[in-house]
Amino acid sequence: MLSSKKGTLMRILLVEDELKLAEYLQQGLSESGYVVDVAHNGIDGRHLALSGEYDLILLDVMLPGMDGFEVLEAIRKIKPVPVLMLTARDQVEDLVRGLHDGADDYLVKPFAFSELLARILALLRRRAGNRSVEATVLAVADLQLDLVKRKAMRAGERLNLTAKEFNLLTLLLRRQGQILSRTTLADQVWDMNFNSDTNVVEVAVRRLRAKLDDPFAAKLLHTVRGMGYVLEARDLIA
């Protein structure tokens, strides 16, 4: 998945009042490698949009508190962040109004999740000026990570990773050679403030290492005592 800054995951704001749809989209986008914040009404959505830093905003038209057009107007007074409107309305007037008011694209419900992902990727690439802002395949030594196909291979063997393990490995690969603290990993992968009583990072690293390193002689994921973890090739040449 694309990154907003070198070594960070893209952050998306979803403003959607349909709770089941919001939950479904948040889960799907998180599993696709994005960090997702959710607001269920226009007032909270406007607040988050204006106070937070997002790479893209998914904005429903029909919202309680204030509608999507009002939220869009507030955003456009301050920020150029890409906005993708989600609407159950298919009237041409509404679609034209959204684009005229500064929306970058729109998607009419119901839609396929794969189409939403494609629209998001297109907007992020457009924002970057049609440059390749991030390689779609990351690699170190005999490890390859295909960000588009969501596939990890080591020495030609497929690694069966969970969504969180894939995102964790993506971050480690993007910043290979850098020591990443547990706090950084918790923030970027789980979107949570690190709590010393929580061992979610250690457990995830241990499970990832079991798949990534244990079956192979050369180890790539290393623990730096008292500091964190680093992904790098060490002593691979005899």
Side-chain angles (χ1 to χ4, degrees):
M1 196 50 55
L2 301 174
S3 66
S4 55
K5 305 174 195 174
K6 188 172 182 178
T8 63
L9 300 179
M10 282 283 189
R11 186 175 293 271
I12 291 176
L13 172 62
L14 169 63
V15 188
E16 171 60 63
D17 66 320
E18 295 181 37
L19 299 184
K20 289 185 178 180
L21 177 59
E23 182 180 0
Y24 168 75
L25 294 179
Q26 182 180 31
Q27 179 179 346
L29 291 169
S30 297
E31 291 176 354
S32 298
Y34 297 100
V35 176
V36 185
D37 292 336
V38 179
H40 297 299
N41 61 71
I43 295 174
D44 291 343
R46 180 184 62 179
H47 172 72
L48 287 175
L50 299 183
S51 62
E53 292 295 329
Y54 296 99
D55 298 287
L56 183 136
I57 296 175
L58 299 176
L59 181 60
D60 189 28
V61 171
M62 298 297 294
L63 293 168
M66 62 169 50
D67 66 29
F69 296 123
E70 293 175 289
V71 176
L72 176 63
E73 181 181 2
I75 293 171
R76 281 294 169 257
K77 288 180 179 179
I78 300 176
K79 296 185 174 184
V81 57
V83 175
L84 173 59
M85 302 289 287
L86 305 177
T87 176
R89 302 177 179 179
D90 57 0
Q91 289 89 348
V92 174
E93 303 83 31
D94 289 327
L95 302 180
V96 170
R97 177 184 173 186
L99 296 174
H100 182 269
D101 288 350
D104 296 274
D105 199 358
Y106 65 87
L107 203 51
V108 176
K109 302 174 185 177
F111 51 80
F113 185 72
S114 58
E115 182 178 2
L116 175 64
L117 287 180
R119 297 288 188 95
I120 289 173
L121 185 59
L123 287 177
L124 294 174
R125 284 177 170 167
R126 186 191 307 169
R127 185 189 188 195
N130 295 319
R131 298 189 306 270
S132 177
V133 296
E134 188 84 25
T136 58
V137 177
L138 305 176
V140 61
D142 57 355
L143 171 67
Q144 285 194 330
L145 203 66
D146 190 316
L147 302 177
V148 175
K149 296 180 180 178
R150 302 281 292 176
K151 182 171 67 174
M153 304 285 292
R154 179 148 193 210
E157 297 183 22
R158 177 78 175 262
L159 303 181
N160 186 24
L161 304 180
T162 66
K164 286 298 184 186
E165 289 167 352
F166 189 93
N167 293 346
L168 175 60
L169 184 55
T170 298
L171 181 60
L172 288 164
L173 257 173
R174 283 196 176 121
R175 295 173 65 174
Q176 59 182 280
Q178 299 180 34
I179 299 172
L180 301 183
S181 67
R182 291 183 297 171
T183 301
T184 297
L185 296 177
D187 174 65
Q188 290 294 319
V189 179
W190 285 269
D191 193 25
M192 59 181 281
N193 294 322
F194 182 74
N195 186 327
S196 59
D197 296 329
T198 302
N199 66 345
V200 61
V201 175
E202 290 89 341
V203 170
V205 169
R206 184 162 60 247
R207 290 176 177 171
L208 176 60
R209 184 177 276 138
K211 300 175 182 180
L212 174 68
D213 278 345
D214 287 358
F216 305 94
K219 310 306 178 186
L220 297 176
L221 181 51
H222 309 279
T223 301
V224 182
R225 190 177 299 275
M227 299 181 67
Y229 305 95
V230 59
L231 186 77
E232 62 182 357
R234 295 179 178 176
D235 302 325
L236 294 183
I237 301 177

